[in-house]
Structures are given as structure tokens and as C-alpha cells.
Amino acid sequence: LDFRGGETAALERLRYYLWESDLLSTYFETRNGMVGGDYSTKFSPWLAHGSLSPRMIYHEIKRYEAQRVENKSTYWVIFELIWRDFFRFFCEKQGSKVFLPGGTVGKSVDWSRDEADLRAWKEGRTGIPLVDANMREMLHTGFMSNRGRQNVASFLALD
């Protein structure tokens, strides 16, 4: 997927995902995919840069529900927009504490300090194919799926 910046590209993606391809109707079933342009909304870059607002997406989904279908998929896109905003406000409230080793609660964790392991993780050379594929995608494209982000973060924090 070629990510172009700006509102025009953002609105094109919104129109494509909802109205032209009807992919919104199957979002719940496809959202955990990790390869390709159509398994998830891919709205993130435009949301992050303010080219597309959660409110606009919400109202467009409500229009879609009225004209096409209201289902688990439409519910989940809205739910995940709310979840995204929750974390944005949580981070705003907590500030830099979200980046501390003990997090916002100051929990003591015995983190590994192995620089070679961290470098291997960053470069997609852990030896774990799922982790490595996602980290290489991020390294080469700047994008990683939601499920991929969850997987690589869990690997970094727990393995």
C-alpha cells in the first residue's frame, strides 16, 4: 500500500475501504491479518497526522451502517477508534511516565540489558519468523499491522 500524505489521500482511503471495496463489512474477520493493503483500515497514518479525524470516520461508518450493513465489523472499527483515543488521552495524562521502565505505576521489572539482543530485535534478526517479518516490514516500510505491533511488543517485553 502506497501511503501518500494529506487529506485528499486520507479521504480516498476512507472512500475505498468503506464504499468502493466494501471491506468494512468484513473487518472483524480480516483485522488480524499482517500482509497486504486490505486486511485492515490502514487509517493510522492519516489519523496520526490529522488528515483524517476519528469523528469523520465515525460518521462515515454510521452512514455506511444506514445504507449497507451494521454488524460486528462496523462496531469493532468504532470500538478501536475509541480505544485509540483512550490511549492518546492516557498518554497525555501520564506524560513521560509511559516510557519509564516501570511504566505509569512504577512496577519494578528486571529487564534484560543485552544490547545485541535489542539490536537483533530492531533489525528483525531474532530467529523467530513472526517477530522478524514484522520488524523487517517496519524497518523497510515504516508500517506494521496492529497484530504485528502486539506480537513484537510482547516478544520484546516478555521473551
Side-chain angles (χ1 to χ4, degrees):
L1 185 62
D2 180 29
F3 287 106
R4 290 177 293 113
E7 183 182 32
T8 300
L11 294 175
E12 286 172 6
R13 178 62 186 182
L14 182 62
R15 182 175 48 254
Y16 169 78
Y17 194 80
L18 274 64
W19 302 105
E20 293 172 11
S21 67
D22 213 31
L23 289 166
L24 176 60
S25 67
T26 59
Y27 173 80
F28 186 80
E29 291 78 26
T30 62
R31 69 193 174 107
N32 291 327
M34 289 191 276
V35 178
D38 289 343
Y39 64 82
S40 71
T41 68
K42 304 288 192 302
F43 297 152
S44 294
W46 294 291
L47 283 162
H49 290 279
S51 301
L52 194 58
S53 74
R55 182 177 293 175
M56 177 178 280
I57 296 169
Y58 170 83
H59 287 293
E60 198 65 11
I61 290 173
K62 287 301 179 183
R63 189 166 75 91
Y64 177 93
E65 288 176 334
Q67 294 180 21
R68 297 232 177 131
V69 65
E70 178 180 348
N71 63 13
K72 201 174 201 179
S73 292
T74 58
Y75 168 85
W76 272 95
V77 172
I78 292 170
F79 177 83
E80 289 177 356
L81 285 171
I82 294 167
W83 198 236
R84 174 190 174 276
D85 277 355
F86 167 80
F87 276 104
R88 289 183 60 90
F89 288 121
F90 178 83
C91 289
E92 181 69 28
K93 178 181 179 189
Q94 298 297 326
S96 61
K97 289 191 286 185
V98 299
F99 300 106
L100 295 175
T104 60
V105 296
K107 180 180 178 185
S108 179
V109 178
D110 187 25
W111 296 106
S112 169
R113 304 272 184 223
D114 188 315
E115 290 297 320
D117 283 350
L118 181 59
R119 188 170 36 266
W121 177 79
K122 289 178 180 179
E123 296 171 358
R125 298 182 297 101
T126 66
I128 307 298
L130 178 65
V131 173
D132 292 347
N134 280 284
M135 292 305 289
R136 284 189 212 125
E137 179 182 28
M138 175 64 119
L139 183 65
H140 294 291
T141 70
F143 181 82
M144 185 186 306
S145 70
N146 179 51
R147 185 62 64 216
R149 291 190 302 270
Q150 293 171 17
N151 289 329
V152 301
S154 292
F155 179 85
L156 178 65
L158 304 174
D159 290 316

